[in-house]
Amino acid sequence: MTAPVHAGPRHAAKASVARSGALMAAGSVVSRATGFVRSAVVVAALGTGLVGDGFTVANTIPNILYTLLIGGTLNAVFVPELVRAAKEHADGGKAYTDRLLTACAVALLAMTALAVFAAPRIIDFYTDYTGAQRDLTVAFARYCLPQILFYGLFTLFGQVLNARGRFGAMMWTPVLNNLVVIAVFGLYLWTAGTSGSMLSATDTRVLGWGTTAGIAVQALALVPALGAARFRWRLRFDWRGSGITRPLRSAGWLVLLVLTNQAAYWVVTRLSTIAGQQAHDQHVAGGAGYTAYTNAYLLWVVPHGIVTVSLLTALMPRMSRAAAEEDRAAVRRDLSYGLRTSAAMIVPAACALLALAPWLMGAVFGYGRTTPADVDVMAGMMMAFAPGLIAFSGQYVLSRGFYALGDTRTPFLLNLVIAGCNAGLSALAYVLLPARWAVTGMAGAYSLALFTGWVVTAYVLNRRLGGGAGLLRSPALATHVRLLAGCVPAALLGYAAARAADGLGDLAATGAGTAALLVSLALLARPLRLDGINDVLGKLRRGR
């Protein structure tokens, strides 16, 4: 009898989330598309061998350190805190936000300066490089480590915008970063070509600083959006008694969570760079090291970034408000909605990545210094990663349920399962497999770890939220099962179509395989009751 009262607002709220998610997804699609070009240009310029590994390690470490020291806290804790401050403070949380931003900016500056100073030690910690390879990687690191500051500013500004219901800018400004890096590496390709095995000091400087410039542009481009949201940041150092320590205390568990993640990632980085060096010394065809792993990972994570991150970024403020009002039924409904809606795109994407990996990797990375053997190595890693995409997305959705409830301790404990499995299985792959396959085994290890963590997290969150049939027996699980029933045969047909079009080139084969998969899935959507896909097809038929 109460349904008519609540159905309207609830439907409107879902429509609002869908619109916000669509706006972010559109920005993410453009960002990822330009990101493909960026990755292709970088790999064409540096290859997947030792030079490429050196740059990839140096360019990845700033993100690792930023996430390790402060990034995980900003992403998971601050939106609920800013929403709560806006609700409870007389000034709408303005002073609180200013103090929080100032404290974080000071911390970021200190971290960045220390990291640049300690660059050689950091590289020695993550790699086993010596001689010229170490010197090149350290030089790249010194130019790339200032990215820590700009990653932090980007996240700070973006969280303020998200808390104010402005979601689009944070998804669109990475396009500018990609364009800067494309220009820098494109210029290098044009002037230096693909000859030579090592880079000059000038080349290293230009490529390193150019990459950092892209992150700086990405962060500073959010300033106009803050102005449009009527937010003006004023530096405030009156932190005592302001309450900003509360999110920092809550973030303690998140810091530990990030530490466990990065400990596992350190194992993968260390072992994959060693395996890559061993493969090079054994004259294995194709770069079978860290760069190949990173390239496969970057392409693998694209559907998650476009679909799941966009959707949950829009859902998170609403879930946080529901949790603050102790409406756990609403949190449970939002989580189920997030799982079902994201799965409608993520499950087909995972099957497509598995079926079309050889042609997709060739279409994106098969240029410049990249050889067919390099593409084969990356395709194998993509196939090992692909199934884990489903668990990766599901785990991300469920973990946001804990954060909305203000619980950062439980996600840390649950993440120990994933990090421990990932590190242990990756080490096992390194020990048992030859150098050519060791890093591919590490990609498969991550997939297994993600599925283990997803199941455990669903069980614990179901107990926490209670009520109804629970998450494990919810419509979300049935949705995943039906999607797999439709996507597996569709992926097989996609693979057959790609094989048939193989002689026309990687791009044509990828297109043929994707088209066959999508047509097959569209035909199966109605009989298998694939609701999310049927919704998309219905909107297309209506011209929306």
Side-chain angles (χ1 to χ4, degrees):
M1 287 186 292
T2 58
V5 176
H6 295 285
R10 191 74 191 168
H11 177 76
K14 284 190 176 182
S16 176
V17 169
R19 285 193 297 270
S20 298
L23 175 62
M24 288 183 288
S28 188
V29 167
V30 177
S31 174
R32 299 292 177 168
T34 54
F36 286 162
V37 179
R38 166 194 168 133
S39 298
V41 171
V42 171
V43 173
L46 302 181
T48 62
L50 293 183
V51 174
D53 278 1
F55 171 79
T56 304
V57 169
N59 190 43
T60 304
I61 284 176
N63 201 353
I64 292 174
L65 294 180
Y66 158 71
T67 303
L68 178 65
L69 298 171
I70 197 170
T73 301
L74 298 181
N75 276 313
V77 172
F78 278 28
V79 165
E81 284 295 325
L82 295 178
V83 169
R84 187 177 292 110
K87 181 179 178 180
E88 297 176 354
H89 295 191
D91 65 349
K94 174 66 171 63
Y96 181 84
T97 303
D98 285 339
R99 294 185 185 103
L100 207 52
L101 292 182
T102 303
C104 291
V106 170
L108 285 166
L109 280 169
M111 292 174 199
T112 302
L114 182 61
V116 172
F117 176 76
R121 298 293 184 187
I122 294 171
I123 294 303
D124 289 342
F125 179 72
Y126 276 94
T127 72
D128 195 37
Y129 291 153
T130 58
Q133 178 67 10
R134 178 182 181 273
D135 294 341
L136 173 69
T137 309
V138 170
F140 266 134
R142 290 199 187 277
Y143 304 134
C144 291
L145 281 167
Q147 294 173 22
I148 294 172
L149 172 63
F150 297 109
Y151 276 127
L153 291 176
F154 174 74
T155 304
L156 286 169
F157 296 160
Q159 296 301 335
V160 173
L161 290 169
N162 288 347
R164 291 165 180 256
R166 304 293 185 97
F167 303 105
M170 197 176 184
M171 292 297 180
W172 283 92
T173 53
V175 174
L176 300 176
N177 170 28
N178 292 333
L179 294 177
V180 170
V181 175
I182 289 168
V184 169
F185 279 82
L187 180 63
Y188 168 75
L189 270 174
W190 182 52
T191 57
T194 59
S195 60
S197 58
M198 296 298 286
L199 303 175
S200 69
T202 300
D203 292 334
T204 304
R205 189 179 304 112
V206 169
L207 296 179
W209 280 123
T211 305
T212 297
I215 302 297
V217 169
Q218 171 181 300
L220 298 178
L222 289 179
V223 173
L226 289 171
R230 297 183 179 180
F231 177 79
R232 300 289 186 275
W233 178 21
R234 185 167 69 89
L235 294 175
R236 297 193 62 151
F237 297 92
D238 53 335
W239 303 335
R240 185 183 298 273
S242 64
I244 65 171
T245 57
R246 183 175 66 179
L248 299 180
R249 284 196 300 269
S250 299
W253 290 107
L254 276 171
V255 171
L256 292 175
L257 184 150
V258 172
L259 278 169
T260 57
N261 268 342
Q262 295 308 321
Y265 194 77
W266 173 82
V267 171
V268 172
T269 303
R270 184 87 178 181
L271 295 181
S272 61
T273 52
I274 294 173
Q277 182 75 59
Q278 291 174 344
H280 177 270
D281 294 342
Q282 295 170 15
H283 305 290
V284 171
Y290 181 68
T291 298
Y293 181 96
T294 301
N295 287 338
Y297 178 89
L298 288 175
L299 196 55
W300 170 77
V301 82
V302 164
H304 171 78
I306 292 174
V307 178
T308 313
V309 173
S310 299
L311 178 63
L312 267 294
T313 301
L315 271 176
M316 192 66 186
R318 194 175 83 185
M319 285 198 299
S320 299
R321 285 189 289 269
E325 296 167 359
E326 299 187 358
D327 186 357
R328 295 199 172 187
V331 175
R332 192 166 55 247
R333 287 194 299 269
D334 283 339
L335 287 172
S336 180
Y337 172 75
L339 286 169
R340 289 181 285 108
T341 304
S342 60
M345 301 297 291
I346 292 296
V347 175
C351 292
L353 292 175
L354 180 63
L356 306 179
W359 302 281
L360 181 60
M361 298 305 285
V364 176
F365 296 112
Y367 311 98
R369 293 190 182 188
T370 308
T371 66
D374 295 328
V375 172
D376 288 342
V377 171
M378 290 187 286
M381 293 179 188
M382 173 62 77
M383 295 174 74
F385 272 129
L389 181 64
I390 300 170
F392 187 59
S393 176
Q395 170 73 17
Y396 185 90
V397 173
L398 296 183
S399 67
R400 267 53 195 171
F402 288 108
Y403 296 145
L405 294 169
D407 179 3
T408 54
R409 177 178 177 270
T410 304
F412 159 70
L413 297 174
L414 293 169
N415 194 67
L416 290 176
V417 176
I418 299 174
C421 288
N422 187 25
L425 292 173
S426 293
L428 194 64
Y430 172 78
V431 171
L432 296 180
L433 298 176
R436 163 63 179 83
W437 293 103
V439 184
T440 302
M442 294 178 202
Y446 188 45
S447 287
L448 289 174
L450 287 169
F451 275 105
T452 303
W454 187 28
V455 170
V456 175
T457 301
Y459 174 77
V460 174
L461 186 58
N462 172 47
R463 291 176 62 88
R464 171 68 62 84
L465 293 175
L471 289 169
L472 282 173
R473 298 183 298 278
S474 73
L477 180 60
T479 296
H480 280 78
V481 172
R482 290 198 303 270
L483 281 166
L484 284 171
C487 290
V488 170
L492 291 173
L493 290 172
Y495 174 79
R499 282 290 300 269
D502 187 49
L504 301 176
D506 290 327
L507 189 59
T510 301
T514 302
L517 187 151
L518 292 177
V519 170
S520 302
L521 200 55
L523 294 174
L524 293 170
R526 187 180 294 272
L528 291 177
R529 295 185 294 114
L530 307 180
D531 296 335
I533 295 174
N534 281 323
D535 289 344
V536 172
L537 293 173
K539 290 180 180 180
L540 290 176
R541 283 193 293 268
R542 293 190 297 269
R544 295 172 57 188

